[in-house]
Amino acid sequence: MEFVPTDGRQVYCSSQHRIDSNNDKRKIIDAIESNFTSRAKNNEKILIKIIGSPFYIKNGFSHTFFLEHEYYDFGTYHTIKYDEATNREIHFCYNHGILLIDAEKKHFKIIIKEKNED
């Protein structure tokens, strides 16, 4: 039977078992972080692709359809900033973010974070 300590007063039978247990815990955390990082990088690639598209260059916005077609994950982002003019949220993935400019028509503007912003 496997022993899993549940608090600090319980001890492992050897130091190697303690190390192995902590390594297993770290692998789980690393997998979660790696998955998030992968999704966020993919989102940024999608935004870079769309911002260079002829439709975006011509119109200055993207429709939700294009983002969904590229499998943009709306739930994955690093930071939220607020647009000063509209007080709407901008969801950033690294240096690129999306701003909902028309909720009814589902239009988004892609924002590039300036280098001096945090």
Side-chain angles (χ1 to χ4, degrees), residues 34-51:
S34 176
N35 187 332
F36 173 81
T37 301
S38 175
R39 290 191 328 261
K41 285 182 181 180
N42 188 52
N43 273 356
E44 185 177 42
K45 287 179 187 176
I46 292 168
L47 295 178
I48 291 169
K49 180 179 180 181
I50 290 176
I51 202 169

Side-chain angles (χ1 to χ4, degrees), residues 66-110:
F66 297 117
L67 294 164
E68 290 172 347
H69 176 43
E70 294 293 331
Y71 300 105
Y72 185 85
D73 182 358
F74 288 92
T76 301
Y77 49 87
H78 282 103
T79 56
I80 296 176
K81 303 272 183 178
Y82 290 91
D83 182 50
E84 293 176 4
T86 62
N87 204 29
R88 290 186 178 181
E89 293 180 348
I90 306 170
H91 293 189
F92 279 97
C93 289
Y94 296 103
N95 295 319
H96 292 77
I98 58 170
L99 168 66
L100 180 64
I101 56 174
D102 189 335
E104 187 177 310
K105 295 179 182 176
K106 298 181 182 179
H107 292 166
F108 287 89
K109 182 175 181 178
I110 299 173

Side-chain angles (χ1 to χ4, degrees), residues 22-35:
N22 288 330
N23 286 343
D24 290 344
K25 290 176 189 175
R26 185 74 227 163
K27 284 179 187 175
I28 293 169
I29 293 169
D30 287 346
I32 293 168
E33 290 175 357
S34 176
N35 187 332

